[in-house]
């Protein structure tokens, strides 16, 4: 069973997360929906739990099975993560040369001491005091440990119903920790990121089991599928705009779980739209989009800084965002900045197409060939592989 519609969702969510992080003073930046789009990280977690369960439930029956699964998952995420991490280092070297040795380069989130935690993908476990280097990669760290947890549960619980009972407990435990200890509501990352991921990942597992139960009961397609999908889209837009920075955000995995369940049936007009080739193309490259966008942002910021120096005109402005002061790129009318944001998204998509072709897929195949002793074709994306 394939879920091309969910691939389409994944591509759109990756673009919204990328746009959320782009700091340019325009209509996009201050749009409430865009400001809340960091919540789509929880959509990724739920979707990951859904499709990983679809692909592997009942297949992890022994330690070698679990080992192969974890190697494949590591091979899926680590090569591109490592390349994007290393790509930030020359930017810091340029910063050091540009400011003639003044404080700034290789400090704060770019401290050399945090390179190892990033390379070993443990930087969502509270070992760092802030987001470091390629900031979105904290969620890849959290997912990797969710995969380890899933494999252990499958090995120890054995029976599907017991795996699902364990999933309910783990999802509840993740929600309990985040609700009890996060000072940013669900927006925990480098500190409690693993628990945030547990909440969403195992919620996705539960959603998949509910989907299977519905199919087993004879529900092959939702009645009034088009209207239900439209209602889901409307609720997601309103929720994301309203839930940022408050306790409502804790419900994100629950809402996104419902959305995944509805769209997994692929019965409405919106499903048919999302299943079209452009959205599936974006979905296949969503991991690259997610991993390269911070690097593209850093390049845009450095270009703006160079232009400011060459032209003698300010290219940045300080603005209060979410009770904190943030430096935003600003050098023209609002429509100009909106155009810059769209150009940035186009750059992200273009770069992601390259990294998908020359880093992500070959890296995954080479990783599997070395550690599993088998070679996979580099051009064929795995439908159920999730970032």
């Amino acid at each position: 069973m394939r879920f091309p519609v969910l691939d389409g969702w994944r591509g759109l969510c990756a673009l919204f997360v990328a746009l959320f992080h782009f700091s340019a003073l325009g209509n996009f930046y201050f749009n409430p929906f865009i400001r809340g789009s960091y919540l789509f990280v929880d959509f990724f977690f739920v979707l990951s739990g859904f499709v990983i369960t679809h692909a592997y439930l009942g297949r992890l029956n022994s330690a070698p099975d679990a080992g192969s699964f974890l190697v494949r998952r590591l091979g899926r995420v680590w090569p591109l993560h490592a390349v994007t991490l290393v790509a930030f280092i020359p930017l810091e070297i340029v910063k050091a040369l540009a400011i003639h040795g003044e404080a700034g380069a290789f400090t704060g989130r770019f401290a050399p001491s945090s390179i190892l935690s990033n390379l070993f993908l443990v930087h969502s476990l509270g070992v760092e005091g802030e987001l470091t280097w390629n900031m979105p990669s904290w969620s890849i760290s959290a997912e990797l440990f969710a995969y380890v947890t899933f494999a252990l549960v499958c090995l120890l619980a054995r029976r599907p119903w017991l795996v699902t009972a364990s999933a309910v407990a783990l999802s509840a435990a993740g929600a309990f920790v985040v609700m009890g200890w996060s000072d940013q509501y669900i927006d925990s990352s480098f500190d409690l990121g693993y628990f945030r991921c547990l909440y969403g990942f195992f919620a996705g597992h539960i959603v998949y089991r509910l989907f299977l139960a519905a199919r087993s009961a004879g529900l092959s397609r939702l009645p009034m599928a088009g209207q239900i999908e439209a209602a889901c889209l409307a609720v997601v837009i309103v929720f994301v705009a309203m839930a940022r920075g408050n306790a409502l955000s804790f419900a994100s995995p629950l809402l996104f779980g419902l959305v995944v369940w509805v769209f997994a049936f692929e019965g409405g007009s919106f499903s048919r739209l999302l299943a079209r080739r452009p959205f599936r193309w974006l979905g296949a490259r969503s991991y690259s989009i997610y991993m390269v966008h911070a690097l593209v942002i850093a390049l845009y910021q450095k270009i703006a800084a160079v232009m400011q120096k060459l032209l003698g005109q300010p290219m940045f402005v300080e603005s209060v965002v979410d009770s904190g002061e943030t430096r935003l790129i600003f050098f023209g009318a609002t429509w100009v900045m909106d155009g810059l944001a769209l150009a940035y998204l186009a750059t992200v998509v273009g770069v992601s197409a390259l990294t998908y072709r020359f880093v992500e897929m070959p890296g995954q195949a080479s990783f599997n060939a070395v550690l599993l002793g088998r070679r996979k074709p580099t051009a064929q994306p795995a439908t159920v592989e999730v970032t």
Side-chain angles (χ1 to χ4, degrees), residues 9-86:
W9 263 103
R10 189 173 59 189
L12 284 179
C13 290
L15 288 180
F16 286 130
V17 172
L19 192 54
F20 160 77
H21 282 123
F22 187 58
S23 299
L25 185 58
N27 290 313
F28 288 118
Y29 187 81
F30 285 107
N31 181 277
F33 175 78
I34 299 301
R35 295 274 24 94
S37 289
Y38 67 90
L39 295 172
F40 285 120
V41 172
D42 298 288
F43 190 99
F44 294 145
F45 291 154
V46 172
L47 186 55
S48 180
F50 183 94
V51 298
I52 290 296
T53 301
H54 168 68
Y56 290 101
L57 185 64
R59 293 174 55 190
L60 304 182
N61 300 314
S62 66
D65 291 338
S68 177
F69 163 72
L70 292 175
V71 167
R72 289 183 182 281
R73 298 317 304 160
L74 185 61
R76 178 71 178 90
V77 300
W78 192 83
L80 181 58
H81 163 67
V83 167
T84 52
L85 171 63
V86 170

Side-chain angles (χ1 to χ4, degrees), residues 292 296 299-300 340-353:
V292 306
V296 174
L299 290 172
Y300 267 67
L340 181 69
L342 294 176
Y344 151 74
L345 283 183
T347 305
V348 168
V349 171
V351 172
S352 70

Side-chain angles (χ1 to χ4, degrees), residues 31-383:
N31 181 277
F33 175 78
I34 299 301
R35 295 274 24 94
S37 289
Y38 67 90
L39 295 172
F40 285 120
V41 172
D42 298 288
F43 190 99
F44 294 145
F45 291 154
V46 172
L47 186 55
S48 180
F50 183 94
V51 298
I52 290 296
T53 301
H54 168 68
Y56 290 101
L57 185 64
R59 293 174 55 190
L60 304 182
N61 300 314
S62 66
D65 291 338
S68 177
F69 163 72
L70 292 175
V71 167
R72 289 183 182 281
R73 298 317 304 160
L74 185 61
R76 178 71 178 90
V77 300
W78 192 83
L80 181 58
H81 163 67
V83 167
T84 52
L85 171 63
V86 170
F88 273 93
I89 296 177
L91 294 181
E92 287 302 290
I93 294 174
V94 170
K95 184 193 296 184
L97 295 175
I99 60 180
H100 306 294
E102 296 178 17
F106 293 105
T107 60
R109 61 174 275 219
F110 297 110
S113 59
S114 61
I115 292 178
L116 279 181
S117 66
N118 278 261
L119 276 176
F120 287 99
L121 282 170
V122 297
H123 54 300
S124 68
L125 304 181
V127 299
E128 301 293 344
E130 62 180 328
L131 289 169
T132 53
W133 293 93
N134 189 12
M135 293 191 295
S137 68
W138 72 266
S139 66
I140 308 307
S141 165
E143 278 211 38
L144 181 63
F145 283 93
Y147 300 149
V148 173
T149 306
F150 176 76
L152 288 174
V153 168
C154 288
L155 282 179
L156 297 174
R158 298 287 181 174
R159 298 183 179 181
W161 71 266
L162 191 52
V163 173
T164 299
S166 301
V168 172
L170 285 166
S171 183
F176 176 78
V177 171
V178 174
M179 291 179 186
W181 281 270
S182 174
D183 57 1
Q184 298 291 327
Y185 301 102
I186 206 169
D187 190 22
S188 54
S189 51
F190 61 89
D191 46 2
L192 301 174
Y194 168 66
F195 295 99
R196 178 181 177 183
C197 184
L198 278 187
Y199 178 21
F201 183 93
F202 284 102
H205 171 93
I206 297 164
V207 169
Y208 180 76
R209 298 292 287 166
L210 292 173
F211 172 74
L212 279 189
R215 295 292 293 264
S216 298
L219 185 62
S220 60
R221 180 175 176 176
L222 293 177
M224 301 177 63
Q227 292 88 330
I228 293 174
E229 288 179 358
C232 282
L233 289 174
V235 171
V236 166
I237 292 170
V238 173
F239 177 86
V240 169
M242 293 181 60
R244 67 183 182 95
N246 60 62
L248 185 60
S249 65
F250 289 130
S252 298
L254 304 180
L255 173 62
F256 294 145
L258 174 62
V259 172
V260 168
W261 186 85
V262 167
F263 279 85
F265 286 96
E266 302 182 337
S269 55
F270 289 101
S271 284
R272 289 191 290 274
L273 176 64
L274 289 171
R276 290 183 179 274
R277 187 173 180 178
F279 290 104
R280 287 189 284 113
W281 186 92
L282 276 178
R285 289 149 187 82
S286 59
Y287 180 51
S288 279
I289 291 171
Y290 187 75
M291 291 300 288
V292 306
H293 76 265
L295 184 63
V296 174
I297 288 172
L299 290 172
Y300 267 67
Q301 289 175 335
K302 283 176 173 48
I303 291 171
V306 169
M307 295 302 295
Q308 178 173 269
K309 186 174 182 179
L310 291 177
L311 299 176
Q313 297 292 328
M315 302 291 286
F316 298 91
V317 65
E318 299 292 332
S319 181
V320 176
V321 180
D322 296 331
S323 302
E325 198 168 76
T326 301
R327 189 174 77 151
L328 305 176
I329 299 174
F330 180 68
F331 55 82
T334 300
W335 67 268
V336 173
M337 305 315 298
D338 291 343
L340 181 69
L342 294 176
Y344 151 74
L345 283 183
T347 305
V348 168
V349 171
V351 172
S352 70
L354 294 175
T355 56
Y356 176 82
R357 174 65 180 84
F358 295 107
V359 179
E360 189 178 339
M361 289 293 100
Q364 180 181 357
S366 299
F367 202 99
N368 291 341
V370 170
L371 294 184
L372 295 176
R374 63 192 72 172
R375 188 165 298 278
K376 293 288 182 181
T378 60
Q380 177 63 39
T383 304

